[in-house]
Amino acid sequence: MSKSKGWPLWEVFIRSKQGLNHKHVGSLRASDATMAIKNARDVYTRRAEGISIWVVPSNNITASDPNNEDSLFEPSQSKVYRHPTFYDVPDGISHM
Amino acid sequence: MKEKQTLYKYLLRMGDDSLILGQRLSELCGHGPILEEDIALTNISLDLIGQATLLLEYAGELAPEKKTNDELAYLRIEKEYVNALLVEQPNGHFGDTIMRQFLFDAYRKPLLEKLLDSSDKRLAGIAEKALKETKYHLRHSSEWVIRLGDGTEESHNKIQNSLESLLRYAHELFFENEVDELLIAQGIVPSAKSIFPIWEKTLHAVFEEATLSLPKNNWKFQGGREGRHSEHMGYLLAEMQYMQRTYPNMEW
Amino acid sequence: MMDVDIQDLEKKFQDKIDQDIKIEPNDWMPDAYRKTLIRQISQHAHSEVVGMLPEGNWITRAPNLRRKAVLLAKVQDEAGHGLYLYSAAETLGADREQTIDDLHSGKAKYSSIFNYPTLSWADMGAIGWLVDGAAIMNQVPLCRCSYGPYARAMIRVCKEESFHQRQGFEIMTKLASGTAEQKEMAQDALNRFWWPALMMFGPIDSDSSHTEQSMRWKIKRHTNDELRQMFVDVTVPQAESIGLTVPDQDIKWNKSKEGYDYGPIDWDEFWQVVGGNGPCNKERVDARRKAKEDGKWVVEAAMAFADKRNAKKTA
């Protein structure tokens, strides 16, 4: 990880309050995970934006290829029956 | 009445330690070794200035003639400042800055922990807020002492030298006089003697991990708590007080 | 790739932009789009970081505890903003340290306003009010920029910067309503920073080389002159309201354009400062270079430490 002289890049995820997902907020440099957490605290939560932090080395993230976007995501668009609005509910019935 | 005056003197020590160390760290804003660390050091500086604001505000209310925290921070003469010599030492290189911070944090944290039980509720309240900040400061400075100590040969030598030179100023943090005696008796502050072993333990643990050795030289500089400072102090104050001295009695 | 393929990709790319669909890091993008963004985002990042220096110059001399804390927090925010922006540039493949080295070698530019000196406490007011005010004018439209990571960084920056301009204006207001000495200090700061602030929007439209393409790519949403006009229109009444005078005899309300006319900008000065002859160009870059050089052993030590610990773990 340290072939270059500089510190590796980390991606930062923050949970802004209990009950919400961690959300990607940006990246930073740090020599190790402990420092990455501390730097994330100082850089991304200066205004009490978070209660929990995840850091992940950027080079450990595998991303889907945007060139395969069509085959990855479009097939699900035609499956409208996965959504409740696909179904007719007779008038007079609420709460379903 | 006597008790008020005594607490005033004690609060000045704590307030001045925070103020002067905060001032020193604020010199580094924009000049840190890497952007992330620049932000971290500024956070610590901000916390310390915040602590000084609260401590000197309280001190000002107990002063023989009532004063605001700004008057205390900006308008005393050098020998009226009672911060420890350690905190006025120049920033030097990053290792010096970190070692100065570590020696201070390792003392400040147990002090604040004990102040949570102070019979003076207001002081206990200030301690509670400051403790949360100081725990973080100590973690930060300890981790860096360890990284630099056990990093490269160059960093090891540098931080070992920082330790040799700065430890001589640190013992003054445990200074005690009649002020302490009276306040300890009333359950307002802990004795510095009770903090010393905790401080020593922290030092030993961190230095061991950092592969640093305690200096043989055990000289102990003193004077700050009694208003006798190092040459550095005059310049620090000249800069800090510049506006208040040049444009007296104005609001900003 | 065949030319036809590229043309096809470029068309799809432009279609996306026209439909206001954001471009994300791994999406195909024309080389020139990537280059323009890297140049603009890193210039922007450098401006934040170099911008710490003129204000940092007064932190140790701030006149009271409240002002000291506020100024520290503000300058620290600028470091944070620099970081958000470098991080956006990294998504385009621009290595941060390389980008920073370009600043230190003089290859990369930053906002020329930071090459002016800060000579009095009032300059902290003038910078917050005018410089951050102008920056906000520039930045708010960038929150809708076509490149996702840049737009998101700008949203964060704009949110945080809203207090910056206010604190500057508060300093100016306090000085302008203070003693004669203080008012004079405020007016002097306005005199020195007014024109450089107008120059912050860049050359007049007909001399601006990047505007047209950047507007088509939705990297830029308004021209330099449009933004400059907006700035003048909001700032002149603010100055009047606190009893200060904008140093331009030609300032006059123009009813037909519903805006102020203003006098000619000294573009010679602008190009001199951009070219390196501003009062503090050398000091600013030297200070940043020194910070990096002095920190080199620290960066190496932390890395060596991390490697040792990793080796222990895997051993």
Side-chain angles (χ1 to χ4, degrees):
Chain A
M1 204 190 280
S2 58
K3 263 162 261 145
S4 71
K5 294 159 289 164
W7 292 346
L9 193 65
W10 302 73
E11 298 300 321
V12 181
F13 300 81
I14 297 210
R15 185 202 294 289
S16 57
K17 63 178 193 203
Q18 211 68 17
L20 295 181
N21 287 322
H22 285 78
K23 200 174 147 196
H24 183 244
V25 292
S27 64
L28 48 74
R29 298 267 170 185
S31 60
D32 55 50
T34 319
M35 191 200 281
I37 291 271
K38 294 247 306 284
N39 288 348
R41 177 258 197 193
D42 286 329
V43 173
Y44 289 105
T45 68
R46 292 196 305 286
R47 287 171 174 75
E49 294 97 332
I51 53 152
S52 166
I53 299 173
W54 287 351
V55 292
V56 184
S58 305
N59 60 7
N60 281 1
I61 289 188
T62 309
S64 62
D65 181 352
N67 294 324
N68 296 336
E69 220 172 81
D70 302 2
S71 56
L72 277 175
F73 307 116
E74 267 174 32
S76 73
Q77 283 175 12
S78 60
K79 298 181 178 62
V80 284
Y81 42 81
R82 286 196 199 274
H83 299 278
T85 45
F86 178 73
Y87 301 93
D88 292 327
V89 177
D91 291 344
I93 296 194
S94 51
H95 307 300
M96 182 177 276
Chain B
M1 193 60 210
K2 178 122 194 285
E3 189 191 299
K4 256 176 124 183
Q5 300 284 310
T6 319
L7 183 55
Y8 163 69
K9 286 182 186 160
Y10 191 90
L11 287 168
L12 278 187
R13 287 184 198 164
M14 285 186 74
D16 287 349
D17 279 353
S18 297
L19 175 69
I20 302 301
L21 187 53
Q23 173 77 4
R24 273 292 183 228
L25 290 174
S26 79
E27 293 168 13
L28 293 171
C29 184
H31 306 276
I34 187 162
L35 221 36
E36 284 85 347
E37 186 55 26
D38 200 307
I39 295 175
L41 289 176
T42 306
N43 256 347
I44 297 173
S45 174
L46 265 174
D47 287 342
L48 289 166
I49 302 286
Q51 293 171 16
T53 304
L54 294 175
L55 289 160
L56 295 178
E57 183 182 29
Y58 190 14
E61 290 171 25
L62 305 177
E65 292 164 61
K66 259 187 158 226
K67 285 195 162 39
T68 67
N69 46 14
D70 280 328
E71 282 169 329
L72 283 177
Y74 287 90
L75 291 170
R76 279 176 290 157
I77 57 169
E78 180 174 325
K79 67 181 183 139
E80 291 168 337
Y81 287 82
V82 287
N83 57 279
L85 295 173
L86 176 71
V87 297
E88 73 198 44
Q89 297 311 303
N91 291 324
H93 58 61
F94 183 72
D96 296 329
T97 302
I98 282 295
M99 184 53 79
R100 183 185 63 198
Q101 192 66 38
F102 170 69
L103 295 172
F104 179 75
D105 294 339
Y107 146 82
R108 202 50 172 312
K109 182 180 160 248
L111 170 63
L112 293 169
E113 276 166 345
K114 288 181 187 283
L115 282 172
L116 293 179
D117 299 325
S118 170
S119 60
D120 186 285
K121 289 296 155 243
R122 179 151 170 200
L123 180 54
I126 295 175
E128 193 188 349
K129 182 178 179 294
L131 179 59
K132 287 184 193 133
E133 299 164 347
T134 306
K135 277 184 181 165
Y136 179 80
H137 302 171
L138 177 59
R139 256 197 11 235
H140 183 86
S141 56
S142 312
E143 282 168 13
W144 267 114
V145 167
I146 294 167
R147 272 191 206 105
L148 297 178
D150 195 17
T152 60
E153 197 187 332
E154 183 188 10
S155 71
H156 176 88
N157 293 339
K158 277 195 150 131
I159 189 101
Q160 180 69 44
N161 283 335
S162 310
L163 173 59
E164 309 271 341
S165 112
L166 289 166
L167 191 66
R168 299 174 301 164
Y169 296 98
H171 290 277
E172 194 197 11
L173 294 167
F174 303 96
F175 170 91
E176 277 190 2
N177 65 6
E178 68 282 355
V179 168
D180 302 74
E181 261 169 51
L182 196 126
L183 295 173
I184 293 166
Q186 313 244 356
I188 296 176
V189 308
S191 91
K193 287 189 201 76
S194 70
I195 295 165
F196 185 75
I198 307 173
W199 180 76
E200 246 191 339
K201 216 176 131 195
T202 310
L203 263 60
H204 285 145
V206 169
F207 292 162
E208 195 191 314
E209 220 188 320
T211 69
L212 295 177
S213 42
L214 276 171
K216 293 204 178 63
N217 181 356
N218 62 355
W219 181 247
K220 299 174 172 73
F221 283 117
Q222 298 245 15
R225 288 282 188 247
E226 293 165 299
R228 273 179 290 110
H229 293 275
S230 53
E231 283 186 349
H232 308 297
M233 186 68 171
Y235 294 97
L236 182 147
L237 291 179
E239 196 171 335
M240 188 170 79
Q241 298 183 339
Y242 166 66
M243 291 296 291
Q244 290 285 347
R245 297 291 186 196
T246 315
Y247 306 95
N249 304 316
M250 294 183 202
E251 293 207 20
W252 304 93
Chain C
M1 231 185 282
M2 307 250 297
D3 283 357
V4 193
D5 291 343
I6 297 246
Q7 274 175 14
D8 186 42
L9 285 167
E10 274 182 357
K11 191 182 169 304
K12 275 191 189 153
F13 173 83
Q14 190 62 48
D15 283 351
K16 260 186 175 173
I17 295 207
D18 293 342
Q19 293 170 56
D20 275 327
I21 296 174
K22 294 271 189 260
I23 308 300
E24 293 296 342
N26 292 327
D27 294 348
W28 187 88
M29 60 186 85
D31 256 2
Y33 177 82
R34 183 186 300 272
K35 278 195 191 125
T36 304
L37 272 173
I38 290 179
R39 196 193 62 238
Q40 186 175 332
I41 299 173
S42 49
Q43 269 185 19
H44 196 160
H46 298 328
S47 301
E48 294 282 354
V49 173
V50 175
M52 296 171 74
L53 299 169
E55 287 175 288
N57 186 33
W58 278 87
I59 291 174
T60 55
R61 288 178 291 172
N64 59 39
L65 292 167
R66 176 172 178 265
R67 293 284 178 214
K68 192 189 287 293
V70 170
L71 189 59
L72 258 174
K74 175 178 190 266
V75 179
Q76 185 198 38
D77 272 349
E78 280 151 19
H81 298 168
L83 232 152
Y84 305 159
L85 288 160
Y86 284 126
S87 140
E90 297 219 58
T91 65
L92 292 158
D95 177 76
R96 179 168 113 193
E97 293 312 308
Q98 183 56 51
T99 313
I100 289 176
D101 289 341
D102 287 346
L103 167 72
H104 297 173
S105 71
K107 202 175 132 198
K109 299 279 180 239
Y110 54 90
S111 182
S112 58
I113 189 95
F114 301 119
N115 291 317
Y116 290 86
T118 50
L119 304 176
S120 79
W121 171 250
D123 291 10
M124 298 305 99
I127 288 182
W129 173 37
L130 302 173
V131 176
D132 289 277
I136 290 168
M137 289 276 165
N138 264 322
Q139 287 168 358
V140 167
L142 287 173
C143 298
R144 294 188 296 131
C145 156
S146 60
Y147 186 60
Y150 192 23
R152 290 192 288 274
M154 289 322 300
I155 289 172
R156 233 186 143 81
V157 169
C158 285
K159 237 196 230 165
E160 298 189 354
E161 282 210 340
S162 53
F163 100 79
H164 293 183
Q165 196 191 11
R166 282 185 187 202
Q167 68 89 33
F169 194 61
E170 190 191 84
I171 290 174
M172 286 308 248
T173 309
K174 194 93 187 168
L175 294 175
S177 62
T179 64
E181 255 173 317
Q182 286 175 307
K183 188 165 182 181
E184 203 235 300
M185 197 190 281
Q187 183 63 52
D188 174 61
L190 172 57
N191 292 350
R192 282 181 290 112
F193 278 95
W194 173 255
W195 291 107
L198 292 193
M199 295 174 198
M200 279 177 72
F201 297 96
I204 54 171
D205 292 347
S206 50
D207 292 343
S208 174
S209 45
H210 308 299
T211 297
E212 207 183 312
Q213 180 61 67
S214 287
M215 303 252 304
R216 204 161 40 236
W217 280 333
K218 294 190 185 167
I219 294 174
K220 213 170 165 172
R221 298 258 180 179
H222 302 282
T223 70
N224 297 351
D225 286 331
E226 283 166 10
L227 290 165
R228 193 167 10 245
Q229 185 66 53
M230 278 155 70
F231 176 76
V232 172
D233 291 346
V234 300
T235 313
V236 170
Q238 287 168 354
E240 279 171 8
S241 77
I242 56 172
L244 297 179
T245 314
V246 168
D248 178 358
Q249 292 172 336
D250 297 332
I251 287 278
K252 212 172 76 211
W253 180 253
N254 180 333
K255 223 171 137 191
S256 64
K257 74 169 185 189
E258 292 278 297
Y260 287 93
D261 290 331
Y262 53 90
I265 292 170
D266 180 357
W267 291 109
D268 282 347
E269 176 181 321
F270 175 76
W271 291 115
Q272 281 299 325
V273 178
V274 170
N277 287 330
C280 300
N281 293 55
K282 187 173 179 316
E283 285 83 347
R284 301 296 185 237
V285 175
D286 283 354
R288 290 309 309 162
R289 196 187 300 119
K290 183 173 185 304
K292 180 161 179 175
E293 278 165 14
D294 289 352
K296 217 174 140 227
W297 69 275
V298 178
V299 172
E300 283 170 9
M303 215 50 247
F305 174 79
D307 287 346
K308 276 191 211 174
R309 293 290 150 126
N310 281 336
K312 259 190 211 164
K313 248 190 257 165
T314 51

